[in-house]
Amino acid sequence: MAKILCVLYDDPVNGYPTSYARDAVPEIKVYEDGQRAPTPKAIDFVPGHLLGSVTGGLGLRKFLEDQGHTFVVTSDKDGPDSVFEQELPDADIVISQPFWPAYLTPARFEKAKKLKLALTAGIGSDHVDLESAIKHGVTVAEVTGSNSISVAEHAVMMILALVRNYLPAHEWVEKGGWNIADCVERSYDLEGMHVGTVAAGRIGLAVLRRLKPFQTHLHYYQRHRLPEAVEKELGLTFHPTVEDMAEVCDIITINAPLHPGTLNMFNDAMLAKMKRGAYIVNTARAEICSRDGIVRNLQNGHLAGYAGDVWFPQPAPKDHPWRTMPYQGMTPHMSGTSLSAQVRYAAGTREILESWFEKRPLREEYVIVDGGKLAGTGAKAYTV
Ligand code: NAD
């Protein structure tokens, strides 16, 4: 029997919900790229209920305990005295979500002598040291595709919110004002602007598709060029380097995984190449951007705005400068964990566990590391 150690974010401050704003969420069976949504044999949760917090337990408790496995769920994940670190040495499987990541560092891999599977309930396994996973023969898997559209919608929302100056305008309403000039002195239309995505994988391409009806000029930079038919359909301009794209865009949306090839990509030198008054929306990973470079460029007016939901570390400390820098529309890491997304990644986590316990191969698209090397989606999207 296995011990499954699961790290999830805390329940709401007022307790686990007893009712919800809506009675149902739409069921998505096939994703935009044709991939099938998760197909576990069964689920033990109500779609639309909160699954990603400690009490929700990703809807896995009954499934795991009925088979005699031990299921430990905690939000206490950081530091040597944390529940996570105490429970790690005899855990066979670790599950965590990128929103509240259990950082699996090289030192923790050394302690996790029994670990066989590191499972990301969501997308993005950079909180797992992939080199250590390769070295220790640990399989890394994630629920590819499960929240891509959730994130794409958030990115589009943030682009519009920044360009149109939505958040400061809303604040005037709450303050009791009617200050039209204050609201519009930084408000523009998206129409006609040049928008570029760093990476056009599942999320990046979905952002481009959603922006097309806004009559924008669309650009992309990524490792593998898209099929010509897709470039034509969306009117895309491909850029062979990110610098080349940064120079011509009014808005950059970042949708690449974090790995050595993207770490600190938007450093001072790259930010200096961007147009004055450009915006950045980063819902990928914080460390793709220089933390202090972003602050400096907002303060000196080179950037007109920055938004996103990804930070380092997570949770972000109270004094993280991105909480207080000007012209920002940050949220906590939430775009990929809407109640709609939770249905899919909880089902996908269960599907992966079913395959694992029955010794069936995981779907190739879920695999990041296997057999001591990058594999599946991992081989396409990551480097070590
Ligand atoms: P994906 O695997 O479908 O696409 C990633 C793309 O990035 C691939 O096409 C790959 O070729 C490209 N790429 C990798 N390295 C690159 C580089 N150096 N330069 C240019 N392109 C590069 O993944 P996805 O589903 O689109 O997700 C992308 C990332 O978004 C994830 O890795 C994760 O970090 C982040 N994400 C965030 C949230 C959230 O809640 N904010 C949720 C899901 C995913």
Side-chain angles (χ1 to χ4, degrees):
M1 290 300 111
K3 173 172 163 181
I4 296 101
L5 176 56
C6 182
V7 173
L8 300 175
Y9 46 76
D10 288 313
D11 286 348
V13 286
N14 292 325
Y16 190 75
T18 50
S19 67
Y20 290 87
R22 295 175 51 78
D23 297 328
V25 292
E27 188 184 359
I28 311 296
K29 291 193 171 152
V30 180
Y31 299 149
E32 244 168 55
D33 63 357
Q35 184 186 315
R36 261 179 316 124
T39 48
K41 290 179 180 168
I43 53 167
D44 298 314
F45 58 80
V46 179
H49 283 194
L50 181 59
L51 304 169
S53 72
V54 170
T55 299
L58 293 174
L60 293 172
R61 188 166 292 282
K62 182 175 179 330
F63 163 66
L64 292 172
E65 292 183 346
D66 280 359
Q67 296 182 58
H69 299 304
T70 305
F71 186 45
V72 178
V73 183
T74 182
S75 64
D76 185 17
K77 69 185 184 71
D78 294 318
D81 298 328
S82 61
V83 173
F84 179 67
E85 194 122 345
Q86 300 299 314
E87 299 279 355
L88 188 60
D90 62 347
D92 300 276
I93 297 174
V94 164
I95 304 175
S96 129
Q97 303 170 112
F99 325 107
W100 189 262
Y103 294 108
L104 273 173
T105 58
R108 282 178 162 176
F109 266 101
E110 293 298 335
K111 285 186 191 166
K113 298 282 181 221
K114 291 184 70 188
L115 188 64
K116 307 275 180 329
L117 174 65
L119 210 172
T120 304
I123 304 174
S125 296
D126 49 277
H127 59 284
V128 179
D129 185 71
L130 299 182
E131 228 168 281
S132 299
I134 288 170
K135 179 174 147 203
H136 291 267
V138 174
T139 298
V140 181
E142 60 185 44
V143 192
T144 311
S146 57
N147 56 16
S148 312
I149 301 307
S150 324
V151 179
E153 289 184 2
H154 207 80
V156 172
M157 171 186 81
M158 286 181 152
I159 290 171
L160 285 165
L162 287 182
V163 171
R164 303 205 55 87
N165 208 33
Y166 169 55
L167 291 170
H170 178 71
E171 275 168 25
W172 278 112
V173 170
E174 297 215 326
K175 284 188 284 200
W178 191 260
N179 300 49
I180 309 288
D182 293 278
C183 295
V184 301
E185 68 173 345
R186 295 181 70 89
S187 178
Y188 299 89
D189 292 352
L190 182 56
E191 184 182 20
M193 286 195 178
H194 288 258
V195 190
T197 177
V198 177
R202 292 172 181 82
I203 298 174
L205 186 57
V207 171
L208 293 171
R209 284 195 191 289
R210 279 154 183 74
L211 288 177
K212 179 154 168 60
F214 284 92
Q215 312 295 340
T216 50
H217 304 280
L218 298 174
H219 303 251
Y220 79 103
Y221 155 74
Q222 83 152 355
R223 294 209 295 209
H224 314 286
R225 198 154 173 178
L226 291 168
E228 206 183 325
V230 177
E231 287 191 353
K232 275 210 177 109
E233 176 201 343
L234 299 175
L236 303 180
T237 304
F238 170 74
H239 294 267
T241 67
V242 68
E243 288 83 357
D244 193 43
M245 185 176 80
E247 282 170 8
V248 298
C249 284
D250 302 291
I251 300 155
I252 294 281
T253 158
I254 302 178
N255 301 294
L258 175 65
H259 60 87
T262 56
L263 179 71
N264 211 25
M265 185 182 254
F266 282 81
N267 53 18
D268 281 303
M270 185 73 74
L271 294 170
K273 287 188 192 303
M274 293 180 67
K275 283 186 188 174
R276 196 190 87 82
Y279 306 84
I280 295 179
V281 168
N282 178 9
T283 49
R285 286 296 179 261
E287 290 165 287
I288 297 174
C289 294
S290 150
R291 186 193 74 170
D292 296 337
I294 294 295
V295 176
R296 272 193 294 277
N297 279 276
L298 288 169
Q299 284 172 343
N300 69 22
H302 186 64
L303 285 180
Y306 181 94
D309 68 333
V310 285
W311 307 67
F312 186 79
Q314 291 190 174
K318 289 219 158 48
D319 62 352
H320 193 295
W322 287 6
R323 289 183 187 271
T324 47
M325 63 190 180
Y327 314 123
Q328 51 92 7
M330 296 298 297
T331 63
H333 194 165
M334 60 167 285
S335 63
T337 182
S338 58
L339 294 179
S340 321
Q342 291 179 33
V343 178
R344 296 184 293 272
Y345 71 70
T349 304
R350 166 123 178 205
E351 181 189 329
I352 290 171
L353 290 171
E354 286 175 359
S355 305
W356 184 262
F357 291 132
E358 292 166 18
K359 301 197 176 349
R360 287 185 282 114
L362 309 184
R363 280 203 219 181
E364 203 200 323
E365 63 258 32
Y366 291 161
V367 176
I368 304 298
V369 170
D370 196 32
K373 57 180 187 341
L374 290 173
T377 289
K380 293 190 194 113
Y382 288 85
T383 52
V384 285

